[in-house]
Amino acid sequence: EAPRTMVLPGVAKATRVCAYDRPGTTASIGDEDFISRSDPIAQPRTSVEVVEELHALLQAAGIPGPYILAGHSLGGFFARLYAATYPDEVVGMVLVDASHEEQDVRFPAALPAEQWAAFERMVEAVTRPGDIPDLERMDLDASFDQLREAATTHPLPPLPLVVLTRGLPASADIPPEGLSALPPDFPWDAYDAVWHELQ
């Protein structure tokens, strides 16, 4: 069986690909966590700040547009907000299981309050381990508001858009320590239904 083609090298066969490390992000490879090589920056941050920094980075690096932006999870916020802020620079977008500006409203409305609170505690514990200094922290409330405003005042223009979402249930992506922190009767079907509607 041939080794699978990784996304960035695969796309780089057809076009220029740029990726960057936001300050405070980590990459887990095997059993190791690698902290971003970017300079530490004051935390917490908002999506507007991330978009301004990405724009400045592209300008400083001399990478001319127009761009096709790809964003996974919270990166979907940044891609959509970048397109709203700099619409003349974006000609396409790929969203990969991207966060949505209504998820902070839709999930609590669809799930029992105690179940949603348990899920939020689990995500905080799994994604923000205490032993990594300068870890990125996003002001999610401000970021949700920023994207809601941008979606209203500067909706995406007609452009090529690809939305990729997982076919497996969300529970398949959560590490064992996260699953064990949730009630055994967590309503995964309701969670997955909301996620797919938002996608």
Side-chain angles (χ1 to χ4, degrees):
E1 180 176 322
R4 65 184 182 154
T5 301
M6 301 307 286
V7 172
L8 295 184
V11 175
K13 291 177 181 176
T15 189
R16 184 176 191 179
V17 175
C18 300
Y20 77 111
D21 293 328
R22 293 191 317 273
T25 56
T26 61
S28 297
I29 302 173
D31 293 333
E32 292 189 68
D33 290 326
F34 296 89
I35 191 71
S36 167
R37 294 164 292 175
S38 294
D39 295 334
I41 196 167
Q43 304 288 346
R45 315 172 66 220
T46 68
S47 294
V48 164
E49 292 168 319
V50 171
V51 166
E52 289 171 353
E53 291 165 3
L54 175 56
H55 186 257
L57 172 64
L58 290 167
Q59 301 305 305
I63 300 170
Y67 310 112
I68 297 173
L69 300 177
H72 167 253
S73 190
L74 196 54
F77 263 32
F78 308 144
R80 289 180 56 213
L81 192 57
Y82 193 105
T85 308
Y86 304 102
D88 295 338
E89 296 182 15
V90 179
V91 294
M93 192 174 304
V94 179
L95 301 176
V96 184
D97 268 327
S99 297
H100 189 281
E101 68 271 17
E102 293 301 321
Q103 71 188 48
D104 66 328
V105 175
R106 295 284 304 280
F107 282 123
L111 303 175
E114 65 277 2
Q115 303 277 23
W116 181 240
F119 186 87
E120 287 189 308
R121 286 192 303 273
M122 179 275 298
V123 169
E124 182 72 21
V126 168
T127 60
R128 291 179 176 43
D131 58 345
I132 299 177
D134 302 317
L135 194 64
E136 180 183 64
R137 292 186 323 279
M138 293 299 299
D139 182 337
L140 290 177
D141 290 336
S143 293
F144 281 122
D145 289 342
Q146 290 167 350
L147 191 53
R148 275 193 279 266
E149 180 180 347
T152 300
T153 59
H154 298 94
L156 284 179
L159 52 71
L161 171 66
V162 175
V163 177
L164 302 174
T165 190
R166 59 182 158 70
L168 296 174
S171 57
D173 263 350
I174 296 177
E177 65 272 17
L179 287 175
S180 66
L182 292 173
D185 61 345
F186 186 83
W188 287 111
D189 288 346
Y191 179 95
D192 286 330
V194 170
W195 184 257
H196 286 291
E197 287 172 13
L198 293 175
Q199 294 305 297

